Amino acid sequence: MADIEKSSRVHWGATDEEAAKNTRPTVQLSRSNSKSSQMSIHNMPNRRTSVDPGKALPIQYRTVSYDIDESTREDFSKAQKVQKAKDSAVKELSSLDWHILSGEEVLRRLSTSIKDGLSEDQVKRRVTEYGRNVPTPPKTHYFKTIMGYCFKGFGSILLLGSILVFISWKPLGEPPSQANLALAIVLLAVFLIQAAFNAWQDWSSSRVMASITTLLSESCLIMRESSQITVASSEVVPGDIVFIKAGNKLPADCRFVEVSSDAKFDRSILTGESAPLSGTSESTDTNYLETKCIGLQGTHCVSGSATGVVVATGDRTVFGRIAKLTNEPKTGMTTLERELLRFVIIICSIMFSMIILVIVLWASWLRTAHPNWINVPTLIVDCVSVAIAFIPEGLPIALAASLTITANLMRKNNVLCKSLKTVETLGAVSVICTDKTGTLTKNKMYVTEYSIADRKFTSSLASEGPSGNAIQQLRTVAGMCNSGDFDASTINSSLPERKINGDATDQAILRFSESIGAVSELRQLWKKEFELAFNSKNKFMIRMLSLSDPDGLTFALSPKEAATFEPGHTLLTIKGAPDMLIGRCTHFINNDGDTDTLDRSKRAVIEDIKNQWSSQGKRVILLARRVISKEQLQSSPSSNSFEVEVMDLARSGLTIVGMVGIVDPPRDEIPEVMRILRGAGIRIFMVTGDFALTAEAIARECGIITNDSSMIQTISNLHRGESRSITKGKENGHPLYEGAPPTSIVLSGPELITLNDIQWEQLCQYDEIVFARTTPEQKLRIVREFQAREKIVGMTGDGVNDAPSLKAADIGIALGSGSDIAIEAADMVLLDSFSAIVEAVKYGRMVFDNLKKTVAYLLPAGSFSEFWPVMTNILFGLPQVLSSFLMIIICCFTDCFAATVLAYEKPEADVLLRKPRDPRTDRLVDWQLMLQAYGFVGIIETLSSFAMAYWYLQRNGITFSDLWFQYGNTPAGLDPTFIAARLNEASSIYFVNLVVMQWFNLMAVRTRRLSIFSHPPAFNPETQNLYLFPAILFALAMAVFWLYIPQLQSALGTSMVPAQQFFLPATFGFGVLILDEARKAGVRRWPEGLLAKCAW
């Protein structure tokens, strides 16, 4: 096993081709993972934090969990525990001998074969014997779980407050106060209700997680009953024959029986080793974990292909054994929870300061100057009242509701988020780098044109092509140099309807070959001896073929070449990017099927055809071949040196057989998606491996490039010696194209390598960029450069070559149809199409908005207006005009439900017209929000509530001067019982005033800038939130319940409130709503004015 060490960024080769040219310090990159996406114990601090992988399980994404670990450092004791688990697994695995047996013996022992696979009867028996290929779920620690339910949020403060009030009732109370007893019971009840809600929330979150998990099940290609079929990874059993290609994730532990020479596997998930390891069909080590003939569950094939026999599933795999020993829950905090914690710390700091102030005033002044005014039980209740007043008890419930609601909305829009951080980050993304194939396009490729020599033909008339066997030679290379295979289940369907196992390019070329003649016929005439799979660096694929039937010569070669083809000769077939291969070609097949020398004029004609097709947005593939004599090959296909020999032979002497033009049309919705994202202040760049002309044409079709070709700049516009401002018509990163057209540039991968810091600074200012002919390292470099300039970068992709940049980006976005390794590397998966990203960005911004609205709603009444009755009681000797009990009712009942339903608010109409949020400056709670909550709404609610309460007392014969600085002294001529009854009524009026005014504050905080008429709460499906009205009725019911039941009145010191006291606060509430509407109108009218700068 490899020693525990800090893992570096993902490497895809022995060296990074840009490393030597990059003189600036390298930014080390990490990523956020789901709980189940990693098993490596290696970690490093970075801009994107990592999850403890000890509990990782295959493809289980916890979307709305508070247990997602976002810590930046690996706990050493945890690392030791994982290593101990690995050591234990090693001992258990020491008795296995699959790796030292020959492939034939493994097949024999498992009663299977590569050709036929298992039968259905065998599968049923093995499912019964070994179980399904799924891990055993972890044990539930019920005590810890229940404690978490009870003390999550503000549970501990509520319980402590309840205990203190119980103590103030007995034994400190002399005589014991029934009001204190009732207050203690209510606090305890709220504590239990909050715990019950947390339990329900966890259950609800688990249901959402389970439903999301089913949306993205893993699958694999296997052989059963002589047919290749695709099954869910959970259905794999020991003895199944698994076919593995680049990008696939191994579904179980496998013994390789056939391996391509370029097959490499990324084992970092288990070992922490960043460099992929090659695979072999023969044992290379006596250690089961070190030998290269064993593929381990959870690892990825990053290049090449292999065929393996499943030897272990479920908990019997290495992955399963380690996970079983280290699988235990671990909690952590997301960035949004940290924002909430920051807010709570601020509020609690104020709270403790006020409590200390109260205690100091009592101890140093009131206790001696007015000993009968506040005794110890009353002081305890006052301190608890201050604590309850400042703490927004409804906030944790609102946050939990937001998580569940957002997860459900994402799921309904076919968006799978692996962590809450994904949603948070989406609201701040300012740059999206997107792959082309399969992301912007339909990934349904088909050949529209082909060329032989200097003539072009349409694929629909392939049978009417040139005379001779030229078309047959093209058919042979297209069908044989192809990793696609027709699925047996649709072999009898029409050609367009047949399912093909393989990537989109191979599918298109295989269908083209089949349209000319049966590919199965060719594969009987020629036998594959060696394959070098396509990769993003070489940009070509090679297959070495040996002749099985002499008739194959008439299809693959010209008559002259067929006559000289001898036994032992092999046919090297190659297909790939024309700009990579045409320089290796020395001959071409003419229209008669004969071989001619490729001179400069013919090369120019072929390149003109390639450029013409590329400018039309077509992917151009060149197909070529070369006859290799047995003398030219010194080693056998199974040796490691064979690949080197083949690569050397493919460097020259190739004969062009033809070219094909492949169309992959953009998705219909993409131009509109680009328009919306651009309007949201997000810059969208294309990063693709395609030829520059092809990329530019597709980018223009998609709406990524909006300028004419004459206005598109190149590398020559980037000045090496001076920094220049490039982007025009921009404000704070938000494109404003009215003043100046957007700036556009197209660069290729080789050009990126030459850029210096000054040029990168200029490049990152462009509005529209197309990066063509990029390698995985260059995609990674692009992400790094934008991040270095404080941009929040989203990266989309679906291929193996996209995985490094998906991991490095602030948010990696994969398509559900993409490769396993891309899905594993991404933070978010779009199950349907790229258009879902609009909804994802919208909801990402909505979550943050709705939590701000919740805070803005809770603070005025639940904090500010409750605090001042306590302070006036202590400082000015006034009666506490709002009882401590009614404070609790506001915080935990009347306001809590309304705060929760704000999580159901629909996105505002302008949410995609704002610039992206800057996490460094745009905080959840800032001075603007505090000004709104305390300086605007809070002051109005507090003053109006005081006015209503003291006005009522004035009307009943108790003037304000009778109470001012009296510290409990009864005014002359007034009965104490009469005063107590009137004070209870005034307290209830203060309470009702806050409850009613909060209804209007609830309507006001629904929007931050839009009018209520533009975003009505009802009668408009796009904006309505019908839960608001039950929340208002609930608040009214709570007020009636606690104020109008006689038994509660006597016990709690509450009182009935005259009917007019419900209507007068409504007038004040309308005033708040009208004033806030005026404020919003001013913000919209003068977006750069003082009101806008103070707007929350």
Side-chain angles (χ1 to χ4, degrees):
M1 296 292 294
D3 292 336
I4 301 177
E5 60 180 349
K6 297 273 185 178
S7 62
S8 61
R9 67 171 179 80
V10 177
H11 294 288
W12 295 82
T15 59
D16 185 342
E17 65 183 53
E18 296 185 38
K21 298 181 175 64
N22 186 9
T23 58
R24 85 176 55 84
T26 301
V27 180
Q28 293 297 314
L29 296 170
S30 182
R31 65 181 293 270
S32 293
N33 299 304
S34 68
K35 286 183 171 183
S36 55
S37 63
Q38 293 289 332
M39 276 293 300
S40 171
I41 64 173
H42 306 280
N43 189 345
M44 61 183 169
N46 187 17
R47 173 175 180 162
R48 296 181 63 197
T49 55
S50 300
V51 182
D52 170 31
K55 55 195 173 298
L57 298 174
I59 301 292
Q60 291 183 358
Y61 301 127
R62 182 72 180 254
T63 302
V64 285
S65 170
Y66 284 79
D67 300 334
I68 298 169
D69 185 280
E70 301 286 351
S71 64
T72 58
R73 294 181 300 177
E74 189 74 31
D75 182 77
F76 182 68
S77 62
K78 183 64 177 178
Q80 286 183 317
K81 184 172 183 179
V82 177
Q83 185 61 35
K84 184 178 179 181
K86 290 186 177 183
D87 294 340
S88 176
V90 169
K91 294 178 181 178
E92 294 179 15
L93 296 169
S94 60
S95 60
L96 298 181
D97 58 357
W98 297 113
H99 58 302
I100 59 177
L101 298 176
S102 66
E104 292 78 8
E105 180 60 28
V106 171
L107 293 170
R108 189 161 45 252
R109 181 181 290 189
L110 291 170
S111 302
T112 186
S113 69
I114 296 177
K115 182 179 179 182
D116 300 321
L118 297 176
S119 66
E120 288 302 321
D121 289 338
Q122 287 177 302
V123 172
K124 291 178 182 178
R125 289 196 299 271
R126 295 185 187 194
V127 168
T128 303
E129 180 179 357
Y130 299 104
R132 299 176 73 244
N133 183 32
V134 293
T136 300
K139 294 181 180 179
T140 302
H141 301 279
Y142 290 104
F143 179 77
K144 291 182 179 179
T145 302
I146 293 173
M147 289 298 100
Y149 294 155
C150 291
F151 296 102
K152 187 180 292 183
F154 300 109
S156 56
I157 295 178
L158 289 170
L159 182 60
L160 179 61
S162 176
I163 293 171
L164 289 175
V165 177
F166 266 119
I167 293 173
S168 69
W169 170 62
K170 281 186 180 181
L172 296 181
E174 295 180 2
S177 170
Q178 281 189 322
N180 287 349
L181 174 61
L183 178 60
I185 292 173
V186 169
L187 284 173
L188 182 61
V190 172
F191 168 76
L192 296 175
I193 290 171
Q194 189 176 73
F197 182 85
N198 287 333
W200 174 84
Q201 181 65 39
D202 186 66
W203 173 79
S204 177
S205 299
S206 298
R207 287 187 61 197
V208 173
M209 187 246 336
S211 65
I212 288 177
T213 301
T214 61
L215 296 177
L216 191 63
S217 58
E218 287 187 323
S219 61
C220 55
L221 183 65
I222 65 173
M223 177 71 74
R224 281 187 185 170
E225 294 192 329
S226 305
S227 297
Q228 289 187 10
I229 61 172
T230 301
V231 299
S233 296
S234 59
E235 304 303 323
V236 170
V237 297
D240 268 326
I241 305 298
V242 181
F243 299 98
I244 304 157
K245 294 182 179 180
N248 290 164
K249 182 178 180 180
L250 273 64
D253 286 359
C254 302
R255 168 65 160 85
F256 298 136
V257 290
E258 290 182 1
V259 180
S260 68
S261 63
D262 60 334
K264 291 186 178 180
F265 297 86
D266 179 7
R267 287 192 174 189
S268 60
I269 193 172
L270 288 173
T271 66
E273 293 290 345
S274 59
L277 302 177
S278 59
T280 65
S281 58
E282 302 298 330
S283 181
T284 59
D285 199 296
T286 56
N287 187 324
Y288 185 85
L289 295 177
E290 297 295 335
T291 184
K292 296 180 180 179
C293 68
I294 294 291
L296 302 178
Q297 181 193 39
T299 60
H300 289 93
C301 177
V302 297
S303 65
S305 61
T307 302
V309 186
V310 174
V311 296
T313 58
D315 290 337
R316 295 177 178 83
T317 64
V318 174
F319 197 100
R321 293 171 195 263
I322 298 174
K324 187 176 181 181
L325 293 171
T326 62
N327 201 355
E328 61 180 27
K330 181 177 178 181
T331 59
M333 295 185 68
T334 66
T335 53
L336 184 55
E337 287 176 311
R338 290 191 185 97
E339 277 287 299
L340 291 171
L341 178 62
R342 172 181 171 271
F343 163 64
V344 170
I345 289 174
I346 293 173
I347 290 296
C348 288
S349 299
I350 300 174
M351 176 193 76
F352 285 119
S353 299
M354 294 301 102
I355 289 175
I356 291 172
L357 176 63
V358 168
I359 295 174
V360 169
L361 287 173
W362 176 82
S364 62
W365 171 42
L366 293 177
R367 184 170 59 88
T368 56
H370 305 283
N372 296 325
W373 177 228
I374 297 178
N375 56 22
V376 173
T378 304
L379 176 67
I380 292 174
V381 173
D382 283 345
C383 291
V384 171
S385 300
V386 171
I388 299 301
F390 269 99
I391 292 175
E393 287 84 357
L395 194 58
I397 297 176
L399 171 62
S402 295
L403 300 184
T404 304
I405 294 163
T406 304
N408 275 308
L409 289 172
M410 292 287 194
R411 178 171 56 85
K412 289 178 181 177
N413 286 278
N414 289 325
V415 177
L416 186 152
C417 295
K418 296 183 184 179
S419 74
L420 178 61
K421 182 182 184 297
T422 301
V423 181
E424 300 163 29
T425 308
L426 275 170
V429 164
S430 57
V431 170
I432 294 179
C433 298
T434 176
D435 184 36
K436 178 182 75 69
T437 304
T439 305
L440 301 177
T441 61
K442 296 178 179 179
N443 206 25
K444 295 180 179 178
M445 299 185 182
Y446 53 91
V447 175
T448 58
E449 293 183 89
Y450 69 94
S451 70
I452 296 177
D454 55 357
R455 293 183 59 189
K456 295 180 293 182
F457 306 89
T458 60
S459 62
S460 59
L461 301 176
S463 59
E464 301 178 11
S467 59
N469 73 339
I471 188 66
Q472 294 300 327
Q473 293 185 54
L474 183 60
R475 166 204 171 194
T476 300
V477 178
M480 294 303 300
C481 188
N482 197 306
S483 59
D485 292 293
F486 287 105
D487 194 287
S489 61
T490 59
I491 196 65
N492 296 321
S493 303
S494 62
L495 183 57
E497 301 299 323
R498 290 190 206 173
K499 180 182 177 181
I500 299 176
N501 298 312
D503 65 38
T505 302
D506 279 336
Q507 290 181 34
I509 296 176
L510 191 66
R511 281 197 171 91
F512 168 69
S513 178
E514 183 77 8
S515 69
I516 302 172
V519 173
S520 58
E521 177 187 8
L522 298 174
R523 294 185 176 180
Q524 291 175 356
L525 301 175
W526 293 91
K527 178 184 177 183
K528 180 183 75 172
E529 297 292 343
F530 171 83
E531 177 178 319
L532 181 67
F534 175 89
N535 65 66
S536 58
K537 285 186 176 180
N538 295 335
K539 300 189 185 301
F540 58 74
M541 170 190 179
I542 296 177
R543 266 196 182 177
M544 299 289 287
L545 308 174
S546 62
L547 187 63
S548 299
D549 190 314
D551 291 342
L553 296 174
T554 60
F555 294 101
L557 302 174
S558 65
K560 183 177 179 180
E561 290 175 304
T564 60
F565 194 92
E566 298 179 0
H569 286 188
T570 55
L571 183 65
L572 184 154
T573 59
I574 185 170
K575 77 172 191 291
D579 52 321
M580 300 295 292
L581 297 182
I582 198 167
R584 306 175 179 216
C585 300
T586 56
H587 296 79
F588 71 97
I589 298 298
N590 61 29
N591 290 288
D592 296 325
D594 297 324
T595 302
D596 284 344
T597 301
L598 182 66
D599 56 25
R600 183 174 299 177
S601 62
K602 287 295 183 183
R603 186 190 301 270
V605 171
I606 292 173
E607 289 187 341
D608 284 343
I609 295 174
K610 180 258 296 183
N611 291 336
Q612 181 184 354
W613 286 352
S614 296
S615 64
Q616 296 169 1
K618 296 176 181 176
R619 172 172 288 185
V620 184
I621 301 295
L622 184 144
L623 299 101
R625 59 167 174 75
R626 178 182 177 184
V627 176
I628 308 296
S629 66
K630 58 183 178 182
E631 291 79 14
Q632 291 175 286
L633 292 172
Q634 305 300 320
S635 56
S636 65
S638 60
S639 66
N640 293 330
S641 61
F642 191 76
E643 178 182 343
V644 178
E645 291 186 35
V646 170
M647 288 290 288
D648 187 60
L649 291 169
R651 294 183 187 279
S652 61
L654 300 179
T655 299
I656 299 176
V657 178
M659 291 191 301
V660 294
I662 302 173
V663 168
D664 185 12
R667 298 177 185 267
D668 298 333
E669 69 276 9
I670 291 300
E672 179 65 11
V673 170
M674 295 300 139
R675 185 191 66 79
I676 294 173
L677 293 179
R678 185 173 284 117
I682 300 173
R683 291 184 289 164
I684 309 97
F685 306 143
M686 178 186 287
V687 184
T688 179
D690 271 343
F691 187 61
L693 288 176
T694 304
E696 180 185 329
I698 294 295
R700 184 170 285 105
E701 288 186 57
C702 292
I704 294 176
I705 293 287
T706 57
N707 282 324
D708 295 333
S709 298
S710 59
M711 297 180 63
I712 296 177
Q713 300 180 13
T714 63
I715 190 173
S716 61
N717 297 98
L718 301 178
H719 303 275
R720 299 188 65 85
E722 57 181 322
S723 180
R724 298 187 181 185
S725 179
I726 300 298
T727 307
K728 298 180 181 180
K730 297 187 70 166
E731 179 184 6
N732 297 327
H734 194 161
L736 300 174
Y737 290 163
E738 296 87 351
T743 50
S744 308
I745 189 169
V746 176
L747 293 176
S748 66
E751 292 172 335
L752 288 179
I753 301 175
T754 67
L755 300 184
N756 60 22
D757 282 334
I758 295 175
Q759 289 175 302
W760 272 108
E761 191 67 38
Q762 298 170 51
L763 177 62
C764 291
Q765 298 178 51
Y766 277 80
D767 300 309
E768 302 169 349
I769 309 177
V770 172
F771 298 99
R773 279 288 183 255
T774 53
T775 65
E777 289 81 8
Q778 289 160 356
K779 291 184 179 183
L780 195 60
R781 173 80 176 275
I782 292 166
V783 171
R784 287 175 173 173
E785 292 291 347
F786 279 101
Q787 287 177 332
R789 287 157 181 83
E790 302 299 335
K791 304 300 180 185
I792 305 299
V793 182
M795 180 74 194
T796 71
D798 62 352
V800 177
N801 59 323
D802 298 316
S805 50
L806 287 173
K807 288 185 179 183
D810 294 282
I811 174 170
I813 306 168
L815 294 185
S817 58
S819 64
D820 293 342
I821 193 170
I823 292 173
E824 190 78 10
D827 301 291
M828 185 177 82
V829 182
L830 307 179
L831 300 180
D832 187 13
S833 71
F834 183 73
S835 61
I837 198 170
V838 172
E839 297 299 314
V841 171
K842 181 190 297 184
Y843 290 123
R845 296 184 177 188
M846 181 195 73
V847 167
F848 196 80
D849 274 5
N850 286 351
L851 285 175
K852 286 182 78 77
K853 295 170 185 176
T854 298
V855 174
Y857 171 77
L858 288 172
L859 291 183
S863 176
F864 193 81
S865 300
E866 292 181 352
F867 168 71
W868 284 109
V870 178
M871 290 307 296
T872 56
N873 171 256
I874 293 171
L875 293 175
F876 307 125
L878 292 168
Q880 186 173 317
V881 75
L882 179 65
S883 70
S884 299
F885 177 80
L886 292 178
M887 289 183 189
I888 302 298
I889 299 304
I890 291 174
C891 290
C892 301
F893 288 95
T894 61
D895 272 2
C896 195
F897 187 20
T900 302
V901 301
L902 281 173
Y904 287 89
E905 278 296 323
K906 304 289 179 60
E908 295 182 44
D910 67 340
V911 72
L912 291 179
L913 298 177
R914 309 175 197 159
K915 65 178 182 178
R917 176 174 63 88
D918 187 345
R920 298 170 300 165
T921 57
D922 298 334
R923 312 305 295 261
L924 177 67
V925 178
D926 49 24
W927 68 268
Q928 292 97 331
L929 188 142
M930 300 291 279
L931 179 64
Q932 169 78 11
Y934 288 162
F936 177 44
V937 179
I939 287 178
I940 294 175
E941 289 189 354
T942 302
L943 293 178
S944 62
S945 298
F946 269 123
M948 293 298 294
Y950 286 114
W951 180 56
Y952 178 80
L953 293 174
Q954 177 84 23
R955 290 166 57 200
N956 283 273
I958 304 174
T959 64
F960 185 74
S961 60
D962 292 335
L963 304 174
W964 183 256
F965 285 112
Q966 294 301 311
Y967 296 101
N969 296 321
T970 304
L974 294 178
D975 179 47
T977 304
F978 173 80
I979 293 176
R982 300 294 80 76
L983 287 176
N984 287 343
E985 292 169 359
S987 175
S988 300
I989 287 173
Y990 193 106
F991 168 74
V992 167
N993 198 82
L994 288 181
V995 170
V996 175
M997 289 190 71
Q998 279 292 85
W999 299 346
F1000 296 90
N1001 184 32
L1002 181 65
M1003 295 298 174
V1005 300
R1006 291 183 59 248
T1007 61
R1008 297 170 61 185
R1009 289 172 176 80
L1010 297 181
S1011 168
I1012 191 173
F1013 302 105
S1014 302
H1015 196 86
F1019 309 114
N1020 185 345
E1022 298 297 322
T1023 64
Q1024 68 185 15
N1025 182 0
L1026 300 180
Y1027 294 108
L1028 294 171
F1029 304 103
I1032 291 174
L1033 292 176
F1034 176 80
L1036 177 62
M1038 285 290 100
V1040 171
F1041 177 81
W1042 296 109
L1043 300 182
Y1044 285 83
I1045 296 177
Q1047 293 82 354
L1048 294 178
Q1049 290 174 350
S1050 58
L1052 304 176
T1054 59
S1055 173
M1056 294 177 60
V1057 173
Q1060 65 265 29
Q1061 299 297 335
F1062 281 90
F1063 293 99
L1064 288 173
T1067 305
F1068 296 134
F1070 267 118
V1072 170
L1073 188 58
I1074 291 170
L1075 288 174
D1076 200 55
E1077 281 291 302
R1079 179 192 66 82
K1080 294 172 185 175
V1083 171
R1084 296 192 302 271
R1085 177 65 179 82
W1086 298 287
E1088 299 299 321
L1090 179 62
L1091 276 177
K1093 292 178 181 178
C1094 295
W1096 63 284

